[in-house]
Amino acid sequence: MISLNITNHLVEKLEDPFGLLSGDRYEFFLELDVDEEDELYSDKGVGIKIIFVSDENGQRISQYHFFEKGTEKVLDFALEEDEEELVLNFCKEHLEE
């Protein structure tokens, strides 16, 4: 299990200029504090980019990926079920910032 310690975040509402998508889309960037012993660790820092959807079907994570800060290199890791729930709740709580 990856220990998710979110240290900072940024959220931005994504615009749909053609009105093709239902509901609203948000892009979250979460900065993580990762232990040096964790295989996800990078001395440059690690974050998660999330596309969060809020529509008539509810709120959910549409997609996400881990990235190395500074290089924006995508890291091939996945959230475990409990971690995904933690991230989902974090996004819901910080949606209107």
Side-chain angles (χ1 to χ4, degrees):
M1 174 176 160
I2 301 167
S3 175
L4 288 181
N5 183 15
I6 300 168
T7 59
N8 199 5
H9 72 281
L10 176 67
V11 61
E12 182 179 325
K13 185 174 182 181
L14 300 174
E15 298 301 321
D16 179 16
F18 300 107
L20 299 174
L21 303 171
S22 66
D24 295 316
R25 305 282 188 283
Y26 300 86
E27 187 173 54
F28 278 83
F29 291 93
L30 307 182
E31 292 182 20
L32 304 177
D33 180 25
V34 179
D35 186 275
E36 287 185 39
E37 300 298 318
D38 196 307
E39 62 183 330
L40 182 60
Y41 177 80
S42 166
D43 59 349
K44 295 177 182 170
V46 175
I48 305 175
K49 178 182 175 182
I50 299 161
I51 303 298
F52 182 82
V53 177
S54 181
D55 62 14
E56 65 276 355
N57 296 319
Q59 296 177 321
R60 65 191 178 283
I61 295 172
S62 173
Q63 67 181 43
Y64 70 88
H65 66 265
F66 287 92
F67 65 93
E68 182 178 63
K69 289 171 46 179
T71 65
E72 307 307 314
K73 175 183 171 191
V74 173
L75 304 174
D76 189 23
F77 289 91
L79 293 168
E80 293 185 10
E81 196 172 308
D82 59 335
E83 295 166 335
E84 191 165 344
E85 184 176 331
L86 181 137
V87 169
L88 176 64
N89 289 331
F90 183 92
C91 291
K92 287 179 180 180
E93 291 172 14
H94 296 87
L95 189 59
E96 298 302 323
E97 294 181 6

